[in-house]
Amino acid sequence: MEDAARRQPSGRAHSGGRVLCVAPMMERTDRHCRYFLRLLAPHARLYTEMVTAQAVLRGDRRRLLAFHPAEHPVALQLGGSKPAELAAAARAGEAEGYDEINLNVGCPSDRVQAGCFGAALMLEPQRVADCVAAMRAAVRVPVTVKTRLGVDDRDSYEYLAAFVAGLAAAGCRTVIVHARKAWLKGLSPKENREIPPLDYARVHRLKRDFPELEVIINGGLRDAASAAAQLAHVDGVMLGRAAYDDPWLMRELDERLFGACPECAASGRSRPAMRARAAEAYLAYVADELAAGTPLKAMTRHVMGLYAGRPGARRWRRALGALPPGEQGLHALRQLIASFARDEHGCAAAAA
């Protein structure tokens, strides 16, 4: 096919593993969110919230690294700046079953900067290379890096290319690039996601200059058409807030990029045809987690955007926000989903 969604970049076939990704997002991509997104996008690669290496080594490892088997392929994103700590945390992630270990070199928050990691690490290319080399030596799964175009006044293409060359020399084969620079002072994390201008062309150039690397583009991709068009230039796309605010977008992209999925259907992982069907599939997971002691709202908060841009979206959000806790809330959730399923069936019948 000749459309952008089907063309391969640089004359090279996609590896298939990271064509479609969901970005690591603090306070969003926890294990419940990832499970729900997996229902919508069987082919997507999912990323955890950033977990610091120190937390992995000193905290409740099982709780921090827990995930459902259905999430595969799933990557653990680590934050840190000490090679030995990151190597040990990477080993722990591999032992728990993660398919990839990703190093955060893009988060611009003050708290992350205070720990001397995240986007601030772009100012220390050799330290990042040392961290990647140590992690690569510690695990068999891929070690990848998520970065920005640059930070503060270190934002030339030449600086980015030299930074990426250092990663490649250290053994990194996949670079995920948020197509904005970061300002370490003066902008909040939210502003750093919106104010620095996007520069997709610079990421495209990076792919041309490093054809041996897998280059994934991130930042500002908010609809299926613009995301798919990027695949004419890079190896994969990563969506963040758009995937969270409108999760059905992931279903649309998965279908657009991968077409019919008979093997998924055979394994029970086919994409739901209706939003209510996705909610019904998630309901079984919610019931199991509720029985294990997980608060209901910890799970329902991730499906607030399921009807984004559709009739009934406001009613859906309000009803979810008003659910009582425990089994009573679970019963009310079942009734709510059944109501929306009837509405969707009616709309589908009318359209036919």
Side-chain angles (χ1 to χ4, degrees):
M1 295 178 66
E2 286 300 314
D3 64 27
R6 303 293 184 182
R7 288 196 297 263
Q8 309 301 325
S10 306
R12 185 169 68 83
H14 289 306
S15 66
R18 299 179 188 83
V19 175
L20 178 60
C21 306
V22 177
M25 291 176 278
M26 294 299 292
E27 299 182 353
R28 283 172 172 78
T29 50
D30 63 17
R31 61 191 179 91
H32 312 304
C33 173
R34 298 191 306 266
Y35 183 92
F36 179 62
L37 290 174
R38 171 60 70 225
L39 294 172
L40 300 177
H43 297 90
R45 180 161 294 230
L46 307 175
Y47 286 72
T48 70
E49 303 172 88
M50 183 188 68
V51 183
T52 68
Q54 286 189 3
V56 172
L57 300 180
R58 302 175 187 175
D60 185 346
R61 184 177 301 181
R62 287 301 178 97
R63 179 185 63 81
L64 288 169
L65 301 185
F67 67 93
H68 193 285
E71 292 179 41
H72 288 295
V74 58
L76 169 66
Q77 188 185 66
L78 292 175
S81 60
K82 296 180 180 178
E85 286 186 350
L86 283 165
R91 278 194 294 270
E94 182 181 49
E96 291 298 322
Y98 282 94
D99 302 294
E100 170 188 333
I101 309 297
N102 178 262
L103 178 61
N104 183 321
V105 190
C107 180
S109 77
D110 291 341
R111 182 170 61 86
V112 167
Q113 291 179 52
C116 193
F117 54 94
L121 278 178
M122 281 203 80
L123 298 174
E124 300 187 59
Q126 187 56 55
R127 183 196 287 259
V128 178
D130 291 343
C131 290
V132 169
M135 296 164 73
R136 287 277 294 119
V139 298
R140 293 181 297 256
V141 297
V143 172
T144 65
V145 173
K146 187 172 188 293
T147 187
R148 292 273 186 143
L149 295 178
V151 291
D152 297 340
D153 60 347
R154 309 280 184 90
D155 64 347
S156 68
Y157 176 76
E158 291 70 24
Y159 190 86
L160 174 64
F163 182 81
V164 170
L167 300 180
C172 178
R173 292 293 172 262
T174 300
V175 182
I176 303 164
V177 186
H178 186 150
R180 288 185 172 95
K181 64 181 282 185
W183 286 103
L184 298 182
K185 300 295 181 184
L187 294 182
S188 69
K190 181 179 185 296
E191 290 170 331
N192 260 303
R193 293 193 301 269
E194 299 170 354
I195 292 177
L198 287 161
D199 191 345
Y200 294 143
R202 189 167 290 192
V203 185
H204 301 167
R205 181 181 175 185
L206 193 71
K207 175 60 191 176
R208 292 195 302 271
D209 290 349
F210 294 87
E212 73 281 7
L213 297 185
E214 185 180 40
V215 176
I216 313 301
I217 198 166
N218 170 234
L221 303 173
R222 302 201 65 84
D223 62 81
S226 61
Q230 290 293 328
L231 295 176
H233 308 284
V234 293
D235 299 293
V237 294
M238 174 178 277
L239 280 75
R241 294 308 190 275
Y244 190 84
D245 295 341
D246 182 7
W248 197 251
L249 174 60
M250 291 304 298
R251 190 240 180 242
E252 294 174 349
L253 260 171
D254 194 283
E255 183 175 42
R256 183 182 186 124
L257 299 179
F258 298 100
C261 185
E263 69 274 15
C264 292
S267 65
R269 294 180 68 181
S270 57
R271 306 179 198 93
M274 298 193 310
R275 288 168 171 81
R277 290 289 174 257
E280 286 175 355
Y282 189 50
L283 191 60
Y285 171 85
V286 170
D288 289 344
E289 285 289 323
L290 191 66
T294 302
L296 183 62
K297 286 190 182 298
M299 297 173 282
T300 56
R301 71 187 184 93
H302 297 305
V303 298
M304 285 282 186
L306 180 58
Y307 285 88
R310 302 289 298 175
R314 188 176 183 183
R315 178 167 68 92
W316 173 259
R317 293 193 305 270
R318 282 185 169 180
L320 285 179
L323 290 174
E327 289 294 330
Q328 184 180 357
L330 182 63
H331 177 69
L333 180 59
R334 284 198 181 95
Q335 291 182 318
L336 176 65
I337 293 171
S339 170
F340 272 78
R342 288 192 296 271
D343 291 346
E344 285 189 83
H345 274 302
C347 289

